[in-house]
Amino acid sequence: MGFALVAKSLLMLFNCIFFLVGGALLAVGFYILFSPYSFDILSVLDNGIIQAGVYAIIAIGAFVFILAALGLFGACCKSKILLGLYLIILFVIIAAQVAVCAVVYAYSGQVNEFLTSQFQETLDDYESENGTDSYSVGWNSMQIFFECCGTNNYTDWASTTWGGDSSILKYRSGAAYPITCCAVQDTTVVLSGSIDEAAFTDIAKCYGENGEPVPNSYMAGTGEGCYDSFQDYIISNSVLVGAVGIGLAAFEILLFIFALIVCFTMEKDEDVV
């Protein structure tokens, strides 16, 4: 009976923590949705599934709240129905996480090809430096935030519609790359419909004026491409994401075990209050 009481107490405690996990997921989802860069940069990938993932994070956060409530009230009220439903849903979640990990591992080799093709396609859809369309804002945001220029380097812009169409109004007439390829003093600045010259380090030198060679240090990332910068960013955060994922899976397995113990002791009519 003592072990059952401990299991019940831990189940209630861990589900309280689960509430906090749900809150954290909601916070992350809303941050990505409303931050000045994150959601705009996702538009560069031009993939509905990836962009929908932001809303999925918010939905999962809300779902975790409901699941935690089932476990908490099921344990408090000694309700077999609530705990049974809790166990079923938790099992489905654990199984889904295993399936997702298997799919990600299976297709990991295609990630580089996907990123390169999507970057190049959306780069050609770029309209203007002061554009408010998703591709323009997305590329402007990416080049400023990741301090990069083009997909592989600044020369990629020459083969795009923006670079080859002389009728397009550019900040610098005849420019080979957008102004967002120039280094900024504050990478939190966002260009959407307007250009603030004060945000950039030195626009003239960025474009190779006054005898400055191109590429140069006045360009974002000295003219290096966004593919490598974006990939480095993903890799640098993948360890943290993986650690959180493993920790969450272990946490869910513990919840499942404690819920089973509480259910079994209720079946035996043991008092675990």
Side-chain angles (χ1 to χ4, degrees):
M1 186 172 78
F3 183 67
L5 179 59
V6 171
K8 177 183 175 182
S9 300
L10 288 175
L11 180 62
M12 293 171 62
L13 174 63
F14 283 3
N15 275 292
C16 288
I17 297 175
F18 220 27
F19 271 112
L20 299 178
V21 172
L25 289 173
L26 284 171
V28 169
F30 283 119
Y31 171 77
I32 295 175
L33 187 61
F34 294 109
S35 73
Y37 274 122
S38 302
F39 204 64
D40 291 327
I41 290 175
L42 288 179
S43 67
V44 171
L45 297 179
D46 196 24
N47 186 286
I49 296 177
I50 293 176
Q51 294 175 30
V54 177
Y55 297 103
I57 292 175
I58 295 174
I60 291 172
F63 180 73
V64 166
F65 271 102
I66 298 174
L67 182 62
L70 283 176
L72 186 59
F73 289 113
C76 288
C77 303
K78 299 175 66 176
S79 172
K80 295 178 182 178
I81 296 177
L82 290 179
L83 282 177
L85 184 60
Y86 175 81
L87 283 167
I88 293 173
I89 295 175
L90 198 55
F91 177 79
V92 171
I93 291 176
I94 295 173
Q97 288 175 333
V98 172
V100 168
C101 289
V103 170
V104 170
Y105 179 78
Y107 287 92
S108 60
Q110 300 180 24
V111 171
N112 290 345
E113 181 181 345
F114 168 76
L115 288 178
T116 302
S117 64
Q118 292 302 107
F119 273 26
Q120 202 59 49
E121 286 179 17
T122 56
L123 189 71
D124 199 49
D125 291 323
Y126 181 87
E127 293 184 4
S128 66
E129 295 152 306
N130 59 355
T132 56
D133 62 288
S134 61
Y135 297 127
S136 297
V137 175
W139 267 104
N140 286 334
S141 299
M142 175 172 284
Q143 292 186 147
I144 291 175
F145 183 72
F146 288 113
E147 299 180 276
C148 54
C149 184
T151 300
N152 298 302
N153 56 54
Y154 70 98
T155 61
D156 291 333
W157 285 103
S159 59
T160 65
T161 301
W162 179 89
D165 190 346
S166 59
S167 66
I168 296 177
L169 182 63
K170 302 176 182 178
Y171 185 79
R172 274 286 200 278
S173 179
Y177 41 85
I179 191 173
T180 51
C181 280
C182 296
V184 295
Q185 300 179 46
D186 180 8
T187 56
T188 62
V189 67
V190 178
L191 296 187
S192 179
S194 62
I195 294 175
D196 180 12
E197 291 189 26
F200 298 90
T201 304
D202 193 317
I203 297 174
K205 290 183 178 180
C206 169
Y207 282 110
E209 298 177 9
N210 303 321
E212 192 71 32
V214 175
N216 55 63
S217 60
Y218 296 96
M219 297 175 65
T222 63
E224 293 301 313
C226 294
Y227 173 80
D228 288 336
S229 298
F230 187 79
Q231 188 180 53
D232 291 343
Y233 180 80
I234 295 298
I235 292 175
S236 65
N237 286 278
S238 61
V239 175
L240 176 61
V241 172
V244 171
I246 293 173
L248 183 59
F251 184 70
E252 290 167 347
I253 291 173
L254 284 175
L255 287 173
F256 189 82
I257 293 173
F258 291 143
L260 275 178
I261 294 173
V262 173
C263 280
F264 284 147
T265 54
M266 287 168 61
E267 286 287 340
K268 296 178 181 179
D269 293 322
E270 292 188 19
D271 184 12
V272 293
V273 178

